[in-house]
Amino acid sequence: MQPFPQPSAQLPAAAPRPAPAPGPAYGPAAGGPVLVAVGHGSRDPRARATLARLLDRVRELRPGLDVRLAHIELNAPLLGDVLARVAAEGREAVLVPLLLAPGHHVTHDLPAALAALPGLRARAADPLGPHPLLVEALADRLALAGWTPADSASRSTGVVLASAGSRDPRSAAVLRRIAAALGERLGGTPVLPAYASAAAPTVPEAVAALAARGRHRTAVASCFTAPGLFAARAAAHAPWIAAEPLGAHPALARLVLHRYDDAARARTGGPAIPARELAAI
């Protein structure tokens, strides 16, 4: 396995993006809900720093929005403490899970945290996947790792979409949808989902399945928001290249805001954001 490459000056420059839309006037002055971004938590010190950079991008896209980081476990501030502070301030909150699919944390831990504060006006947004912005970030991370258009056209390449894993069957269904969308984005390249724990196949099993189909140049796409044990374990099994975790990718920051906006609109009964506007979020 090759180590994670650093972005190079030789990489082609990214196409310029349109300036982000200002979005709804959410923020303390407008009385909008606090965006509480909920990470899992990790013993890897890079994880918290990575999520902090992601939220800095969110703040840049939506100046004035009150954005706070919380963790389910292992790192401070913990979710319960952040929500208690929001409640003490008399504010509302929208929880945006920095998680890729439904699972125990999304379906149990977040509702339990809200139930513990019955006086808090809050709701939880959907997890980040599946969504075209997530696929954009995954494809770009692969490109930074060395994936080229020629690889998309090759009959010897394949991709393993590595994620944490969950016993919840809805999680596997979401990862299959993300894998299918990424494969389409890569010109029809086979993309197999694989898991670091709790579900099958494992990354080595998915690599072997692709090799059995003649796809011996296998890349690992990292479906993790931040560095950590599972991301490192998945990358270690890459026979060719491994992409970095999604981290502070601009598309992920736009997706966090999209999930927030959808949940905030549902709270007030307002319309959802039209799909044509997503590129400008």
Side-chain angles (χ1 to χ4, degrees):
M1 186 205 77
Q2 297 181 359
F4 290 144
Q6 298 299 316
S8 167
Q10 296 177 343
L11 289 172
R17 297 189 185 281
Y26 296 141
V34 177
L35 191 166
V36 179
V38 186
H40 178 275
S42 173
R43 292 183 176 85
D44 189 321
R46 297 174 298 170
R48 191 184 189 286
T50 298
L51 296 186
R53 289 195 297 273
L54 171 62
L55 297 190
D56 284 342
R57 282 192 181 273
V58 171
R59 295 182 185 101
E60 290 171 1
L61 289 171
R62 189 70 58 79
L65 178 62
D66 190 345
V67 180
R68 308 186 193 185
L69 176 62
H71 301 90
I72 294 170
E73 59 185 3
L74 298 175
N75 294 126
L78 292 173
L79 176 58
D81 296 333
V82 173
L83 293 182
R85 192 171 303 116
V86 173
E89 295 169 0
R91 302 283 304 284
E92 297 183 51
V94 169
L95 280 59
V96 179
L98 302 180
L99 304 167
L100 284 305
H104 184 78
H105 296 307
V106 171
T107 61
H108 178 270
D109 291 337
L110 268 60
L114 294 178
L117 290 165
L120 174 65
R121 294 171 297 166
R123 65 183 300 128
D126 290 336
L128 299 178
H131 197 277
L133 288 171
L134 176 60
V135 174
E136 177 183 334
L138 288 165
D140 195 42
R141 287 290 186 235
L142 279 172
L144 286 171
W147 187 275
T148 68
D151 296 318
S152 294
S154 172
R155 298 183 64 84
S156 65
T157 56
V159 174
V160 171
L161 179 69
S163 69
S166 170
R167 293 181 178 87
D168 190 323
R170 292 171 295 180
S171 178
V174 166
L175 267 296
R176 287 193 295 269
R177 289 177 62 187
I178 297 170
L182 180 59
E184 183 177 351
R185 175 72 176 251
L186 298 176
T189 298
V191 178
L192 298 185
Y195 308 97
S197 70
T202 64
V203 173
E205 289 169 345
V207 168
L210 286 168
R213 295 162 58 179
R215 304 281 178 165
H216 297 286
R217 295 182 73 232
T218 301
V220 170
S222 185
C223 204
F224 300 94
T225 52
L229 175 63
F230 286 164
R233 184 181 296 169
H237 292 298
W240 176 36
I241 57 174
E244 291 186 3
L246 297 166
H249 193 282
L252 203 66
R254 288 151 57 208
L255 179 52
V256 168
L257 280 173
H258 175 58
R259 292 300 192 221
Y260 169 83
D261 287 338
D262 269 0
R265 282 179 169 82
R267 149 188 161 273
T268 60
I273 297 177
R276 65 179 180 273
E277 294 183 16
L278 291 180
I281 292 176

